[in-house]
Amino acid sequence: MTEYYKHESAIVDDGALIGSDSRVWHFTHVCGGAKIGSGVSLGQNVFVGNKVTIGDKCKIQNNVSVYDNVHLEAEVFCGPSMVFTNVYNPRSGIERKSEYRNTLVKRGATLGANCTIVCGVTVGEYSFIGAGAVVNADVKPYALMVGVPAKQIGWMSEYGEQLDLSLTGDATVNCPHTNATYQLIDSVLSKVES
């Protein structure tokens, strides 16, 4: 008996590792080499490749394909129909599996609905990618990114609240919801641990 829930229409190939309290919903396919943590939710019509790791408490909404060489740390949110890639310059008639680029999405990041994460980038912890954005370069921790191509327009707290800070300079601000303190030094934002 498994310790995770799997809908009867889902396919989980032999060898896949799925942690306890995870949920695999309708018409989802998990390949045999996948490593999925505890408390993960894989929505309807999700695909998870062989060379994929998904950390604890990630939420992957409907119609998302997590292709080989994509790695999600804990508590990543993948909005409905967002897109990952793993080949930078694909052609149908040319095999490029040896050219897969690694994509790393760090802890707590949010990837909005219909956004695209071009392969080979690192998306920083607790960053927030707006709906429909196209990310083609590394994203700083806590950065708020929107547009095509994505540009930083602000900063976000771990709670998901926009912080009242400029993009550059040195400053300190508190999250309007949790009152946690964040410090901007040399255009890098970090949470001040109390």
Side-chain angles (χ1 to χ4, degrees):
M1 182 174 170
T2 61
E3 296 180 11
Y4 64 90
Y5 170 80
K6 180 181 87 68
H7 187 269
E8 63 185 18
S9 66
I11 298 169
V12 176
D13 293 342
D14 290 344
L17 300 176
I18 303 177
S20 62
D21 298 321
S22 290
R23 297 168 309 283
V24 181
W25 292 104
H26 306 67
F27 313 115
T28 288
H29 180 192
V30 179
C31 292
K35 295 182 174 112
I36 300 171
S38 299
V40 171
S41 177
L42 302 178
Q44 179 175 301
N45 196 38
V46 167
F47 170 78
V48 180
N50 280 299
K51 297 176 185 174
V52 168
T53 55
I54 298 174
D56 294 343
K57 297 183 180 178
C58 286
K59 291 184 178 164
I60 300 177
Q61 302 292 68
N62 297 351
N63 307 311
V64 174
S65 292
V66 187
Y67 295 119
D68 285 352
N69 292 53
V70 173
H71 305 283
L72 310 180
E73 292 186 349
E75 298 178 3
V76 169
F77 178 87
C78 297
S81 301
M82 64 78 49
V83 175
F84 290 107
T85 69
N86 60 7
V87 175
Y88 191 77
N89 55 339
R91 292 285 196 200
S92 181
I94 301 171
E95 174 107 4
R96 289 198 162 126
K97 291 184 179 178
S98 65
E99 298 176 23
Y100 286 173
R101 295 185 183 185
N102 292 327
T103 298
L104 174 61
V105 182
K106 301 201 86 168
R107 181 184 192 93
T110 292
L111 310 177
N114 290 302
C115 75
T116 298
I117 308 299
V118 176
C119 59
V121 303
T122 296
V123 178
E125 49 270 281
Y126 299 103
S127 60
F128 198 102
I129 312 303
V134 176
V135 174
N136 61 0
D138 290 350
V139 174
K140 293 178 181 179
Y142 302 100
L144 172 59
M145 308 288 290
V146 299
V148 178
K151 303 283 185 206
Q152 185 178 2
I153 63 164
W155 301 100
M156 299 291 279
S157 74
E158 289 182 13
Y159 190 80
E161 296 283 344
Q162 189 167 357
L163 299 172
D164 186 18
L165 281 171
S166 67
L167 294 180
T168 60
D170 295 350
T172 301
V173 68
N174 290 344
C175 172
H177 188 85
T178 65
N179 209 34
T181 301
Y182 294 84
Q183 189 169 38
L184 183 65
I185 300 175
D186 293 331
S187 303
V188 176
L189 188 69
S190 59
K191 184 177 177 186
V192 178
E193 300 299 332
S194 52

